[in-house]
PDB file of all heavy atoms in Angstrom:
ATOM      1  N   ASP A 358      20.105 -42.742 -36.327  1.00  0.00           N
ATOM      2  CA  ASP A 358      19.812 -44.146 -36.685  1.00  0.00           C
ATOM      3  C   ASP A 358      21.075 -44.982 -36.337  1.00  0.00           C
ATOM      4  O   ASP A 358      22.077 -44.927 -36.985  1.00  0.00           O
ATOM      5  CB  ASP A 358      19.524 -44.271 -38.207  1.00  0.00           C
ATOM      6  CG  ASP A 358      19.186 -45.672 -38.616  1.00  0.00           C
ATOM      7  OD1 ASP A 358      19.326 -46.602 -37.777  1.00  0.00           O
ATOM      8  OD2 ASP A 358      18.731 -45.886 -39.735  1.00  0.00           O
ATOM      9  N   LEU A 359      20.961 -45.732 -35.210  1.00  0.00           N
ATOM     10  CA  LEU A 359      22.111 -46.423 -34.690  1.00  0.00           C
ATOM     11  C   LEU A 359      22.508 -47.609 -35.612  1.00  0.00           C
ATOM     12  O   LEU A 359      23.621 -48.098 -35.423  1.00  0.00           O
ATOM     13  CB  LEU A 359      21.874 -46.939 -33.245  1.00  0.00           C
ATOM     14  CG  LEU A 359      21.539 -45.850 -32.231  1.00  0.00           C
ATOM     15  CD1 LEU A 359      21.224 -46.500 -30.883  1.00  0.00           C
ATOM     16  CD2 LEU A 359      22.750 -44.913 -32.054  1.00  0.00           C
ATOM     17  N   SER A 360      21.624 -47.958 -36.494  1.00  0.00           N
ATOM     18  CA  SER A 360      21.974 -49.074 -37.358  1.00  0.00           C
ATOM     19  C   SER A 360      22.751 -48.597 -38.575  1.00  0.00           C
ATOM     20  O   SER A 360      23.325 -49.431 -39.314  1.00  0.00           O
ATOM     21  CB  SER A 360      20.680 -49.778 -37.863  1.00  0.00           C
ATOM     22  OG  SER A 360      19.936 -48.931 -38.659  1.00  0.00           O
ATOM     23  N   ASP A 361      22.818 -47.301 -38.743  1.00  0.00           N
ATOM     24  CA  ASP A 361      23.503 -46.788 -39.942  1.00  0.00           C
ATOM     25  C   ASP A 361      24.936 -46.375 -39.546  1.00  0.00           C
ATOM     26  O   ASP A 361      25.149 -45.392 -38.890  1.00  0.00           O
ATOM     27  CB  ASP A 361      22.742 -45.496 -40.466  1.00  0.00           C
ATOM     28  CG  ASP A 361      23.355 -44.953 -41.778  1.00  0.00           C
ATOM     29  OD1 ASP A 361      24.456 -45.481 -42.148  1.00  0.00           O
ATOM     30  OD2 ASP A 361      22.778 -44.086 -42.333  1.00  0.00           O
ATOM     31  N   ASN A 362      25.903 -47.125 -40.002  1.00  0.00           N
ATOM     32  CA  ASN A 362      27.287 -46.890 -39.557  1.00  0.00           C
ATOM     33  C   ASN A 362      27.876 -45.679 -40.158  1.00  0.00           C
ATOM     34  O   ASN A 362      28.954 -45.176 -39.736  1.00  0.00           O
ATOM     35  CB  ASN A 362      28.138 -48.170 -39.970  1.00  0.00           C
ATOM     36  CG  ASN A 362      27.700 -49.379 -39.182  1.00  0.00           C
ATOM     37  OD1 ASN A 362      27.281 -49.253 -38.029  1.00  0.00           O
ATOM     38  ND2 ASN A 362      27.821 -50.540 -39.730  1.00  0.00           N
ATOM     39  N   SER A 363      27.290 -45.175 -41.200  1.00  0.00           N
ATOM     40  CA  SER A 363      27.854 -43.971 -41.853  1.00  0.00           C
ATOM     41  C   SER A 363      27.480 -42.675 -41.089  1.00  0.00           C
ATOM     42  O   SER A 363      27.968 -41.624 -41.398  1.00  0.00           O
ATOM     43  CB  SER A 363      27.317 -43.860 -43.281  1.00  0.00           C
ATOM     44  OG  SER A 363      25.891 -43.604 -43.281  1.00  0.00           O
ATOM     45  N   MET A 364      26.530 -42.809 -40.077  1.00  0.00           N
ATOM     46  CA  MET A 364      26.148 -41.648 -39.355  1.00  0.00           C
ATOM     47  C   MET A 364      27.295 -41.119 -38.466  1.00  0.00           C
ATOM     48  O   MET A 364      28.179 -41.892 -38.101  1.00  0.00           O
ATOM     49  CB  MET A 364      24.953 -41.972 -38.498  1.00  0.00           C
ATOM     50  CG  MET A 364      23.648 -42.359 -39.281  1.00  0.00           C
ATOM     51  SD  MET A 364      22.977 -41.028 -40.169  1.00  0.00           S
ATOM     52  CE  MET A 364      22.008 -40.171 -38.924  1.00  0.00           C
ATOM     53  N   ASP A 365      27.173 -39.847 -38.140  1.00  0.00           N
ATOM     54  CA  ASP A 365      28.204 -39.178 -37.369  1.00  0.00           C
ATOM     55  C   ASP A 365      28.135 -39.604 -35.937  1.00  0.00           C
ATOM     56  O   ASP A 365      27.333 -39.115 -35.153  1.00  0.00           O
ATOM     57  CB  ASP A 365      28.009 -37.686 -37.502  1.00  0.00           C
ATOM     58  CG  ASP A 365      28.941 -36.870 -36.660  1.00  0.00           C
ATOM     59  OD1 ASP A 365      29.973 -37.466 -36.206  1.00  0.00           O
ATOM     60  OD2 ASP A 365      28.718 -35.687 -36.493  1.00  0.00           O
ATOM     61  N   THR A 366      28.885 -40.562 -35.536  1.00  0.00           N
ATOM     62  CA  THR A 366      28.850 -41.126 -34.144  1.00  0.00           C
ATOM     63  C   THR A 366      30.173 -41.019 -33.403  1.00  0.00           C
ATOM     64  O   THR A 366      30.296 -41.488 -32.289  1.00  0.00           O
ATOM     65  CB  THR A 366      28.372 -42.599 -34.135  1.00  0.00           C
ATOM     66  OG1 THR A 366      29.208 -43.330 -34.959  1.00  0.00           O
ATOM     67  CG2 THR A 366      26.939 -42.717 -34.644  1.00  0.00           C
TER      68      THR A 366
END
Side-chain angles (χ1 to χ4, degrees):
Chain A
D358 183 349
L359 298 177
S360 65
D361 183 353
N362 294 329
S363 67
M364 296 293 279
D365 177 16
T366 55

